[in-house]
Each structure stands twice: as structure tokens, then as C-alpha cells.
Amino acid sequence: EGGVETGSLTEVFGEFRTGKTQLCHTLCVTCQMPVSEGGAEGKAIYIDTEGTFRPQRLQAIAERFGMDPAVALENVAYARAHNSEHQSELLKMAAAIMSQDRYALIVVDSATALYRTDYSGRGELSERQMQLAQFLRQLTRLAEEFGVAVFMTNQVVANPDGMSFAKDSTKPIGGNIVAHASTTRLRLRKGRGENRICTVFDSPTLPEADCQFAVGPSGICDATE
């Protein structure tokens, strides 16, 4: 039970330091593990838009799972996107390499950051949403065509109409476009100490539920008491 659904988009959103990128790194390693151990026996593609990818972190996670760090790194195809147009181009390259080998996962960290900076004026909102929608449609197509899991991160903004004393005054960016594209949406927030809380925000199969995990030197691990 559990895991990231293949053939669809899973979105995880939360403030900074809630473990989004750490989750991405951990999945890049665990997707290579044998199916019997909860892996998918496939390689991973990592599209990084914010420069947060750390190979050292992948090596530490691989060691924790008893894998050869060099092999684990070799199995992650990494690309840094510098603007939203480049980000879309990278999906075409992803399709090309996925047709040649067994891939299990595409990570986009973060799916929305570059659209936020490329289209920042108020008058550009509709253009931004259109481009973002196109990108997400391409991602969905890749997920369906190659049967891979797509895991993307998203940022949050302050919700101006939320009361300041409400328990959660932030909302994920991208509006309905992102909401409709992602099949499963997970919300991360900080708990006590190194603990983080993950909430099923929207899912066709899972009830709304919370769970805790911790962020450690070797990726995502069990929550500490």
C-alpha cells in the first residue's frame, strides 16, 4: 500500500523547508529499488527549476537503502531549467530518453516557480496560466504514455481572503489549472522540530488524512517522538 501513483500527476505543496525537495530526492532513489521492496525498478528524471538538486543527498539516501551510491546517481537523469520555455523543452528531451530505457519517475521541482517569475505582471496572468496548462498537459501525456509516476512540487502564497487566525492561511499557486491537472495533491507543513505533517489535500482514492514524517540527513524518514 502507499507510494506514488503511476500514470498520473502527484503534486506536493507547502512552504519552504517543509521537505518537498527532500521527498523528491528520496523518491529518485526508492523508485530504483526492486518491486518486492516497494520500488519500481526504473530510472528517474529530475527537472530542477530552483537549483535545489544535490547529488550528495542522493548518495546518502542510496547508502541508507543499501544501494551503490554511484549506480543510484547514474540512474537519475538531471536537467536544470532556466526559464519556463526551457522547462517545456526539457519534456521533449525527457520523452526521447524515456523511449530508450525503463523509467519509473519524473520529478519537477518546482513546476510553478519559473512561471511565477517569467509572468509576474497582473496583465500576464492569463498568459501564464495558459502556458502552465500546456506544460501540465505535456506532463500528463508523458505520465500516461510511459506509465511513469510524475511528482511535482508547488509553492504556496498567502491567501488574502483567509482570516489571519485561520489554521491555514496559505494556498497553493496555479489556481484551478494546477488543481485539475494533479490527480493527487499533498500538503506539507511543519510539525515539531524536524517533523513535518503531510495531508492528503485531494485524491480520487484516498480519504483526507494526516501523517507525520521527519527530514533527516538521508532523506525522508519516520517521525521522531
Side-chain angles (χ1 to χ4, degrees):
E1 288 299 302
V4 180
E5 190 179 31
T6 52
S8 74
L9 269 59
T10 299
E11 171 205 350
V12 56
F13 64 89
E15 292 176 22
F16 66 99
R17 279 201 57 237
T18 47
K20 301 188 295 285
T21 298
Q22 299 310 327
L23 204 45
C24 293
H25 280 67
T26 305
L27 285 170
C28 280
V29 173
T30 55
C31 76
Q32 302 176 33
M33 288 160 60
V35 174
S36 58
E37 291 174 35
E41 296 179 24
K43 298 181 173 186
I45 292 175
Y46 199 107
I47 296 175
D48 174 14
T49 68
E50 302 180 281
T52 47
F53 180 77
R54 296 288 178 270
Q56 314 81 284
R57 179 57 69 127
L58 278 188
Q59 290 171 307
I61 298 168
E63 280 168 10
R64 166 188 156 194
F65 287 106
M67 293 159 66
D68 180 341
V71 174
L73 259 183
E74 192 64 35
N75 287 336
V76 179
Y78 168 78
R80 171 87 162 90
H82 295 285
N83 56 47
S84 56
E85 218 169 311
H86 184 207
Q87 187 174 322
S88 279
E89 280 303 305
L90 288 174
L91 289 190
K92 294 189 184 118
M93 290 166 62
I97 63 169
M98 277 160 57
S99 56
Q100 293 165 356
D101 215 334
R102 183 183 158 96
Y103 279 83
L105 174 73
I106 301 176
V107 168
V108 187
D109 182 26
S110 113
T112 46
L114 293 176
Y115 290 93
R116 243 178 130 169
T117 46
D118 287 1
Y119 304 93
S120 50
R122 235 190 134 65
E124 297 181 296
L125 185 64
S126 62
E127 175 66 14
R128 176 189 94 175
Q129 291 300 80
M130 212 165 67
Q131 296 299 333
L132 183 55
Q134 261 173 345
F135 174 75
L136 295 171
R137 203 163 51 234
Q138 288 173 297
L139 256 188
T140 308
R141 200 176 300 148
L142 286 181
E144 289 167 356
E145 192 180 328
F146 294 99
V148 296
V150 172
F151 193 78
M152 58 182 195
T153 68
N154 190 3
Q155 301 164 323
V156 292
V157 281
N159 189 358
D161 44 75
M163 298 293 193
S164 54
F165 53 80
K167 67 179 191 321
D168 190 47
S169 53
T170 59
K171 60 176 184 179
I173 67 174
N176 289 333
I177 300 260
V178 177
H180 292 309
S182 33
T183 310
T184 308
R185 309 187 80 188
L186 305 172
R187 183 175 112 207
L188 301 185
R189 53 188 206 278
K190 296 188 184 86
R192 270 195 218 128
E194 287 303 304
N195 286 358
R196 304 286 182 267
I197 302 155
C198 175
T199 310
V200 176
F201 191 75
D202 178 24
S203 161
T205 49
L206 299 170
E208 278 195 21
D210 278 1
C211 79
Q212 291 212 22
F213 64 91
V215 178
S218 52
I220 298 291
C221 48
D222 293 334
T224 49
E225 282 302 309

